[in-house]
Amino acid sequence: MFLVLLTTFFGIAITWLAVTIMRNRATVSKLKKQLPHFTVIPAIPVLGSAYHFKDPTPEGIFNTFTGFHKQYGRNLIAQGLFNVPSMQITDPKVIEQIMQARTIEKTIIYDFMIPWLGTGLAISTGAKWAQRRKIITPTFHFKILEDFLVIMNHQTDVLIEKLKQNANSTDFDIYEHVTYCALDIISESAMGVKLNTQQQPNSEYVMAVKEVSDIILKRLFSFLREYKWAFQFTKAHRRQEELVKIIHSFAYQVISERKKQLEDERERKRTQEKLEEEDVYGKRRMTLLDLLLNVTIDGKPLSDSDIREEVDTFMFAGHDTTTSCISFAAYYLSRDPTVQQRVYDEILAIVGPDAKTQELTYGTLQELKYLDMVIKETLRINPSVPIIGRRSAGDMAIDGVTIPKGMDFGILIYALHNDPELYPEPARFDPERFSEEASEKRQPYSYIPFSVGARNCIGQRYAMLEIKTVLVKLVANYRLLPCDERNKLRIKTDMTLKPVDGSFIKIVPR
């Protein structure tokens, strides 16, 4: 009897597998006929296109993924386990259609981030997303950003002082130094809590973020990515739980400290005492965390868990992405003395001869047009977020062809920005690509470092201010020199684009 049941079970499983594979391959064949400008990445039954990923490291996965576009073209049809079809897109015209579609939602990679980020602003959809976006948007009003600049100036000054120990013309990795500076800036400006990680590095939190990001990336390219239930039986799942516990504890600590500060302030107000925070920056600022702690929805405050989702999101996005851009920009400036000199000359002309110590203002930073071009070119070559994912929530169309519900789209911003048809000699660092004249001629949707559409990056103005602040003070205080060839830049990705071993430069005082 048992043998009969087992045979029946295997028979059903094999039949299901065969039918699923045939159905998926038929969908691929149909799409290829309807969309002749799409190329099908070579695939085999069951494993689909996954057999191409022979190097399991983050660097290897990224090189294979982006390499498809160099080999096969802009618009690709890939196949996952059991030949489930998905699309990889770098054509600006197709990206526009996807991002403007009404029946579009975020893809499976964001599901993998839920244990870490919950369903906060980056992950949520529908009414919850609209509600959170509405609550958080005022935090990035330019008047509040001007207040944040005081913190950005102060923490960057700490960074500049710390870098003195490296001012000896030998290679060093600037990425790690910038990581802690960015972490101190986001924690103090958005959360109102001074972590002082530049002086006392919190390596446990930073390393946990890096490792959990790596796990998410490997899940994205796993044979079992569509079968989320299987992940709970893996060693990686157990490790992810340990890492998430570290990250969440860090976030709850930040929330707890801010709650205590706010309660102490209320107590001092009742006793007419001067606020303690007036001793460093002049006045207390409204932060994102204050806003979350004070907001009510349907008469109820947000729970600590709701607040933690947004704290985790902003602590991660607010330090990881800016760190990448700043360290990559420093690397490129170190290797192009002409561009670096032009940046330095602009700083002296606009900030003044005391640029080394000058307090940078919102207005001053807006005038640094050439530096703005340098940052944009950095984000072109190495966009901090190299891939975004979308999924059709209902039937949608590409070039008039109906795309079935449930289709995943990988929009490869990195490959888009390094397309030689859009950007000749894409590996060449050339800020002039972003001159006013060149920008007017640029094809729509061909440059999207902060995503595009309703769900674009809410913190992009904040990020640009922080990047400019750090780079101005860095270039004003130090001449950046190229590293040795053995430390040449190599890149990888998890949730953000990063240097494989570091972003190495040399510095000498000006």
Side-chain angles (χ1 to χ4, degrees), residues 264 343 368 475:
D264 289 346
V343 170
L368 296 168
V475 173

Side-chain angles (χ1 to χ4, degrees), residues 146 149 153 346-352 355 358-372 465 468-469 472:
E146 285 183 323
L149 260 172
N153 273 282
E346 182 183 60
I347 292 169
L348 291 182
I350 292 173
V351 181
Q358 183 73 30
E359 186 86 356
L360 301 172
T361 66
Y362 188 91
T364 299
L365 291 175
Q366 299 312 305
E367 291 184 55
L368 296 168
K369 302 300 183 184
Y370 189 71
L371 178 61
D372 195 64
L465 282 182
K468 282 184 176 180
T469 300
V472 167

Side-chain angles (χ1 to χ4, degrees), residues 179 181-183 185-187 311-323 462-463 466:
T179 294
C181 177
L183 195 55
I185 289 172
I186 190 66
S187 65
V311 168
D312 276 333
T313 298
F314 278 84
M315 289 298 288
F316 162 64
H319 92 273
D320 222 34
T321 54
T322 53
T323 295
Y462 174 98
E466 180 180 336

Side-chain angles (χ1 to χ4, degrees), residues 3-289:
L3 187 60
V4 171
L5 289 173
L6 189 62
T7 303
T8 302
F9 171 78
F10 276 112
I12 293 172
I14 291 170
T15 301
W16 172 86
L17 180 62
V19 170
T20 297
I21 291 172
M22 287 190 292
R23 183 177 64 244
N24 288 333
R25 288 172 70 87
T27 299
V28 170
S29 179
K30 181 180 178 182
L31 287 171
K32 173 56 184 169
K33 289 178 182 178
Q34 294 177 318
L35 296 166
H37 56 299
F38 276 66
T39 301
V40 177
I41 298 173
I44 58 176
V46 183
L47 296 183
S49 314
Y51 75 93
H52 294 284
F53 293 89
K54 296 178 173 61
D55 182 350
T57 66
E59 182 183 12
I61 290 171
F62 181 68
N63 288 338
T64 301
F65 203 51
T66 56
F68 287 146
H69 291 280
K70 293 178 182 178
Q71 187 170 359
Y72 301 114
R74 287 180 170 178
N75 303 315
L76 309 177
I77 299 174
Q79 296 171 58
L81 185 65
F82 306 144
N83 300 89
V84 174
S86 63
M87 292 182 169
Q88 284 185 208
I89 310 296
T90 65
D91 184 337
K93 292 180 180 178
V94 178
I95 291 172
E96 181 176 8
Q97 294 175 70
I98 294 169
M99 299 305 282
Q100 289 189 349
R102 293 182 180 179
T103 57
I104 204 74
E105 61 187 12
K106 291 203 168 184
T107 192
I108 195 168
I109 185 173
Y110 300 94
D111 295 341
F112 296 161
M113 297 169 74
I114 288 176
W116 170 15
L117 302 181
T119 53
L121 186 65
I123 312 295
S124 58
T125 58
K128 181 175 181 178
W129 171 81
Q131 188 181 70
R132 293 287 174 91
R133 182 94 180 193
K134 184 178 180 180
I135 290 170
I136 293 169
T137 294
T139 312
F140 297 99
H141 187 276
F142 80 93
K143 284 292 184 186
I144 296 178
L145 291 177
E146 285 183 323
D147 285 345
F148 290 164
L149 260 172
V150 181
I151 296 165
M152 293 176 184
N153 273 282
H154 171 71
Q155 293 296 349
T156 304
D157 287 340
V158 175
L159 171 67
I160 297 303
E161 183 65 26
K162 280 198 69 182
L163 290 180
K164 284 183 179 179
Q165 63 187 331
N166 299 103
N168 54 10
S169 296
T170 58
D171 289 7
F172 76 100
D173 177 17
I174 196 170
Y175 186 92
E176 183 178 354
H177 293 279
V178 175
T179 294
Y180 292 119
C181 177
L183 195 55
D184 280 347
I185 289 172
I186 190 66
S187 65
E188 193 169 354
S189 58
M191 308 306 155
V193 175
K194 301 182 182 74
L195 295 180
N196 297 318
T197 58
Q198 292 198 84
Q199 305 294 357
Q200 299 172 329
N202 188 331
S203 57
E204 185 180 46
Y205 171 80
V206 172
M207 293 308 296
V209 167
K210 288 179 180 177
E211 192 174 345
V212 80
S213 297
D214 187 42
I215 290 171
I216 292 170
L217 175 78
K218 288 179 178 177
R219 286 189 70 188
L220 179 62
F221 293 96
S222 165
F223 292 141
L224 299 173
R225 62 173 256 169
E226 302 294 335
Y227 304 91
K228 292 179 282 186
W229 55 268
F231 179 63
Q232 64 185 306
F233 301 108
T234 66
K235 182 179 179 181
H237 176 262
R238 293 190 292 275
R239 180 57 179 160
Q240 178 176 282
E241 286 189 320
E242 295 171 0
L243 296 167
V244 166
K245 187 178 293 186
I246 292 170
I247 295 169
H248 286 179
S249 295
F250 182 85
Y252 282 126
Q253 176 190 347
V254 168
I255 295 168
S256 176
E257 287 184 20
R258 191 57 180 167
K259 277 185 173 180
K260 185 177 184 303
Q261 287 176 3
L262 294 176
E263 181 57 40
D264 289 346
E265 287 174 14
R266 285 191 286 268
E267 181 62 30
R268 287 195 293 274
K269 281 183 179 179
R270 284 193 289 268
T271 59
Q272 299 299 304
E273 290 181 10
K274 188 173 182 180
L275 295 181
E276 180 184 342
E277 283 189 295
E278 291 185 358
D279 62 353
V280 177
Y281 300 128
K283 64 176 181 177
R284 192 182 74 74
R285 291 159 178 78
M286 175 62 72
T287 68
L288 169 69
L289 183 50

